[in-house]
Amino acid sequence: MERKNKNLLTFTGPSGSGKSTLARHTSKYGHCNYFEGSAGLTLDEKTASFLQQTYGWQRSGHKEVIHLSETAPGFAYDFQIGLLKARIAKFLQVSEPTVTDRSLVDNIAYAALQAKKYLSDDKWQGFLDLAIKGLNETVEIIIFVPTQNPYTGGIEDNGSRIADWLFQKVASAHFEYAIELIRPHFNGRIHTIRNWDLRDRMDQVESIILGY
């Protein structure tokens, strides 16, 4: 049953697009809770152990997930469906206004990028249906932050992500695709921030918050 009062504002976008910086600013500006939604902090131990034993996943970050998704096709789906279910469970526990730097849209985008070509239509549709149901039960606002980084030195290398501009632009296109997939079915609000200047981005986020 869909909840009437949803408390989550989620940011979504490819790695390195700046969504975590904006999520933390939103939390501070809006005087609300914040939690980081990365896979390492979200996956339950049972799923993490399964991925480690089955595929040799070492929990070292996004770069490893991309590599395993290319070399062990089954990993991509198992990872994304496990993470999707773990995120939904965590989101359902939120009872106060809260901001997080990840969204169920992330799972759709990365499943489309890494796993969809290996899935039957029915399995892909089941994944989408679960993600959309989870969004409608837990999320009020999605803020999409596509890759707008400058080409030269634009992707910060944090040691975990693929710091390659072209790769992140391709990933960003899959996020655009995921947003358009959910748009007709999502009963919350979707906003997109399409600039790179940090102050302009913060101003846009503040305007979104003031609009609610």
Side-chain angles (χ1 to χ4, degrees), residues 135-150:
L135 286 167
N136 284 329
E137 288 178 343
T138 61
V139 177
E140 179 60 32
I141 304 171
I142 297 169
I143 299 181
F144 171 41
V145 187
T147 298
Q148 299 294 318
N149 314 44

Side-chain angles (χ1 to χ4, degrees), residues 48-59:
S49 295
F50 166 77
L51 293 169
Q52 187 171 13
Q53 293 169 12
T54 306
Y55 301 104
W57 180 51
Q58 297 301 309
R59 313 185 194 194

Side-chain angles (χ1 to χ4, degrees), residues 33-163:
N33 298 327
Y34 167 79
F35 68 84
E36 183 182 341
S38 66
L41 296 175
T42 305
L43 272 174
D44 59 280
E45 188 58 35
K46 181 179 178 181
T47 302
S49 295
F50 166 77
L51 293 169
Q52 187 171 13
Q53 293 169 12
T54 306
Y55 301 104
W57 180 51
Q58 297 301 309
R59 313 185 194 194
S60 64
H62 190 229
K63 190 183 296 186
E64 183 195 13
V65 170
I66 298 297
H67 174 72
L68 281 174
S69 296
E70 293 173 348
T71 58
F75 173 83
Y77 177 79
D78 286 342
F79 180 86
Q80 292 300 335
I81 191 68
L83 181 55
L84 175 65
K85 290 177 179 178
R87 280 193 174 131
I88 291 172
K90 188 168 185 177
F91 286 7
L92 284 168
Q93 294 174 4
V94 174
S95 60
E96 297 178 345
T98 300
V99 178
T100 183
D101 61 351
R102 302 291 196 280
S103 171
L104 308 184
V105 177
D106 297 40
N107 299 96
I108 298 173
Y110 284 119
L113 176 63
Q114 300 160 5
K116 185 175 184 295
K117 60 187 174 183
Y118 303 113
L119 303 180
S120 67
D121 289 345
D122 286 347
K123 198 167 188 178
W124 172 244
Q125 189 59 53
F127 185 94
L128 281 180
D129 290 346
L130 178 61
I132 291 168
K133 180 175 183 291
L135 286 167
N136 284 329
E137 288 178 343
T138 61
V139 177
E140 179 60 32
I141 304 171
I142 297 169
I143 299 181
F144 171 41
V145 187
T147 298
Q148 299 294 318
N149 314 44
Y151 176 74
T152 304
I155 306 296
E156 178 189 2
D157 187 356
N158 65 356
S160 170
R161 71 170 58 101
I162 295 179

